[in-house]
Amino acid sequence: MVELAKRVLSLTPSSTLAITAKAKELKEQGKDVIGLGAGEPDFNTPQHILDAAFQSMNEGHTKYTPSAGLPTLKQAISKKFEMDQGLIYEPNEIIVTNGAKHALYTLFQVLLNDGDEVIIPTPYWVSYPEQVKLAGGVPVYIEGLEENQFKITPEQLKKAITNKTKAVIINSPSNPTGVIYTAEELLELGKICLEENILIVSDEIYEKLVYGNAKHVSIAQLSPELKKQTIIINGVSKSHSMTGWRIGYAAGNSQIIKAMTNLASHSTSNPTTTAQYAAIAAYNGPQEPVETMRQAFEERLEIIYKKLTAIPGFTCVKPQGAFYLYPNVKQAAINTGFENVDEFAKALLVEANVAVIPGSGFGTPDNIRLSYATSLEQLEKAISRIHQFVESKMRA
């Protein structure tokens, strides 16, 4: 037997794996399974981006680039920050990475020493705690209460800080809840971070997918002091339907960015060259496809939210962004005779042919996550199946 590294053995397996594997098995058996676990838009990458990537290859741009990314791409990212948030970042304050996930991973690797704590609000994106642990850090959880739209309060943040606290993660719009922090809420949290000298990791990957009267605000744009205290994580995966291209980035303190660049030079060398040229076209080209996709998601949300909350035992904070619904289904699980929501989710897949992600993987075991990044027809069919499943079990 090969003895594996302790850092790997400490990882918690993804909660989605069992559901995903079972869904695949049922599909192979010919079952009409509807998957609502997707964390990516169901739109193809816009044509002008595809064309730019193809052109870059034909022009011979298939070699190494600087580890921190193409200067032209960093210029495009800098321009985007200035236009969207009024933020100015110099090239040495930006690193382009192999997806936003890689930006987060690299950040924690250069930031954390053994025992350093990172505050993570729950519900959280599944990879936050594991990335912190891989860097020798300790995840410290703050419960975002459903009655407060899953947002943490300044009082909760203050109480969670110790002399080992290195950073706090803010994800707005949120995966899995879709909620958005207001400027006022961010400012209050930011004051505490400044007082305690806590780094703010602001995950803004869903910033372009915002609905109704909600508005995305970056905590870094609220004051010069908060900008200095914040590392922004973003990318083109969700905004431009480029999940598979793997282009993300981090922006902030030049010392941290330099350390991240040094680490990247010894791990990935550079982000994929062709994908970088595609990302340049994404930011410098027409933005109408982004708005078209956003409008489609908003239309789906309005229709599906009403149908979902009509299911007995389902309650749901209405999302303001991203493309997920995160209902509390504890009562539905109880009403239908299941011990917990995980068992309820398994039964939904096996008996109703609908795959959802249990909330236990996001730190809140009473919820499930459903993605509406699929066609309206499929969404309506899936919600109808769930509704019928719950009512049939209740009658039984």
Side-chain angles (χ1 to χ4, degrees), residues 266-332:
H266 289 293
S267 54
T268 58
S269 292
N270 63 268
T272 302
T273 303
T274 304
Q276 290 190 67
Y277 280 97
I280 292 169
Y283 279 142
N284 288 347
Q287 300 303 304
E288 287 81 5
V290 177
E291 176 59 16
T292 297
M293 186 170 64
R294 189 203 67 79
Q295 289 178 6
F297 287 141
E298 184 166 22
E299 178 187 2
R300 295 174 192 175
L301 170 62
E302 293 305 316
I303 294 171
I304 295 303
Y305 178 78
K306 293 176 184 178
K307 294 180 181 292
L308 185 76
T309 51
I311 300 174
F314 276 49
T315 61
C316 188
V317 173
K318 189 173 183 180
Q320 299 169 296
F323 40 67
Y324 307 108
L325 289 158
Y326 199 63
N328 184 314
V329 300
K330 181 180 180 180
Q331 192 59 50

Side-chain angles (χ1 to χ4, degrees), residues 2 35 46 61 70 98-99 148 196 216 225 285 292 303 307 367:
V2 175
H61 300 302
L70 287 165
N98 295 278
N148 194 41
E196 302 289 343
H216 168 262
E225 294 76 20
T292 297
I303 294 171
K307 294 180 181 292
N367 299 75

Side-chain angles (χ1 to χ4, degrees), residues 143-252:
E143 183 182 6
L145 298 174
E146 191 167 349
E147 52 264 37
N148 194 41
Q149 293 190 311
F150 296 112
K151 301 176 188 180
I152 63 169
T153 65
E155 292 76 21
Q156 286 178 302
L157 178 58
K158 185 85 172 178
K159 187 176 180 181
I161 293 172
T162 72
N163 60 1
K164 293 184 178 180
T165 305
K166 199 72 172 283
V168 60
I169 300 174
I170 296 176
N171 178 207
S172 177
S174 161
N175 174 8
T177 65
V179 300
I180 298 174
Y181 283 87
T182 66
E184 292 75 19
E185 290 166 337
L186 290 172
L187 195 58
E188 291 304 309
L189 295 174
K191 286 179 182 177
I192 294 171
C193 293
L194 290 173
E195 290 170 2
E196 302 289 343
N197 194 27
I198 304 301
L199 187 73
I200 303 163
V201 181
S202 184
D203 184 347
E204 303 178 14
I205 193 70
Y206 292 96
E207 65 158 332
K208 294 295 184 181
L209 300 178
V210 175
Y211 315 118
N213 295 322
K215 181 182 179 183
H216 168 262
V217 177
S218 173
I219 193 168
Q221 73 187 86
L222 298 179
S223 74
E225 294 76 20
L226 283 171
K227 178 176 180 283
K228 292 178 183 178
Q229 200 75 12
T230 301
I231 297 290
I232 295 178
I233 306 294
N234 209 330
V236 293
S237 291
K238 316 298 183 179
S239 59
H240 293 79
S241 196
M242 294 177 66
T243 50
W245 296 83
R246 310 312 303 134
I247 293 294
Y249 51 88

Side-chain angles (χ1 to χ4, degrees), residues 25 36-37 55-56 65 76 87 110 130 150 158-159 162 176 185 192 207 268 274 295 297 334 376-377 379:
E25 178 187 331
L36 300 182
Q55 181 180 343
S56 75
T65 74
L87 291 167
V110 306
E130 308 312 315
F150 296 112
K158 185 85 172 178
K159 187 176 180 181
T162 72
E185 290 166 337
I192 294 171
E207 65 158 332
T268 58
T274 304
Q295 289 178 6
F297 287 141
I334 293 171
L376 186 56
E377 178 186 3
L379 286 167

Side-chain angles (χ1 to χ4, degrees), residues 3-225:
E3 185 176 351
L4 297 175
K6 292 180 180 179
R7 73 178 72 87
V8 176
L9 296 175
S10 70
L11 290 176
T12 303
S14 170
S15 63
T16 64
L17 288 180
I19 289 286
T20 302
K22 187 64 177 179
K24 183 180 179 181
E25 178 187 331
L26 291 173
K27 283 185 177 181
E28 290 174 349
Q29 295 172 7
K31 301 288 186 181
D32 179 25
V33 175
I34 301 175
L36 300 182
E40 58 184 353
D42 57 315
F43 293 78
N44 194 18
T45 303
Q47 189 61 47
H48 73 278
I49 299 174
L50 301 177
D51 293 341
F54 186 71
Q55 181 180 343
S56 75
M57 289 186 285
N58 281 335
E59 292 177 351
H61 300 302
T62 58
K63 309 300 181 182
Y64 292 126
T65 74
S67 290
L70 287 165
T72 309
L73 177 52
K74 294 209 279 186
Q75 289 171 9
I77 292 168
S78 180
K79 180 182 175 183
K80 169 247 173 294
F81 274 122
E82 186 173 5
M83 289 179 61
D84 289 352
Q85 282 96 23
L87 291 167
I88 304 296
Y89 286 102
E90 299 300 326
N92 66 340
E93 296 176 307
I94 297 171
I95 178 175
V96 182
T97 56
N98 295 278
K101 181 182 285 190
H102 179 232
L104 284 162
Y105 178 86
T106 307
L107 172 63
F108 292 132
Q109 288 294 321
V110 306
L111 185 68
L112 302 178
N113 291 309
D114 288 349
D116 284 345
E117 295 175 351
V118 177
I119 296 173
I120 304 175
T122 64
Y124 48 73
W125 177 54
V126 293
S127 291
Y128 291 148
E130 308 312 315
Q131 291 192 351
V132 168
K133 289 189 286 185
L134 281 169
V138 178
V140 174
Y141 304 108
I142 301 179
E143 183 182 6
L145 298 174
E146 191 167 349
E147 52 264 37
N148 194 41
Q149 293 190 311
F150 296 112
K151 301 176 188 180
I152 63 169
T153 65
E155 292 76 21
Q156 286 178 302
L157 178 58
K158 185 85 172 178
K159 187 176 180 181
I161 293 172
T162 72
N163 60 1
K164 293 184 178 180
T165 305
K166 199 72 172 283
V168 60
I169 300 174
I170 296 176
N171 178 207
S172 177
S174 161
N175 174 8
T177 65
V179 300
I180 298 174
Y181 283 87
T182 66
E184 292 75 19
E185 290 166 337
L186 290 172
L187 195 58
E188 291 304 309
L189 295 174
K191 286 179 182 177
I192 294 171
C193 293
L194 290 173
E195 290 170 2
E196 302 289 343
N197 194 27
I198 304 301
L199 187 73
I200 303 163
V201 181
S202 184
D203 184 347
E204 303 178 14
I205 193 70
Y206 292 96
E207 65 158 332
K208 294 295 184 181
L209 300 178
V210 175
Y211 315 118
N213 295 322
K215 181 182 179 183
H216 168 262
V217 177
S218 173
I219 193 168
Q221 73 187 86
L222 298 179
S223 74
E225 294 76 20

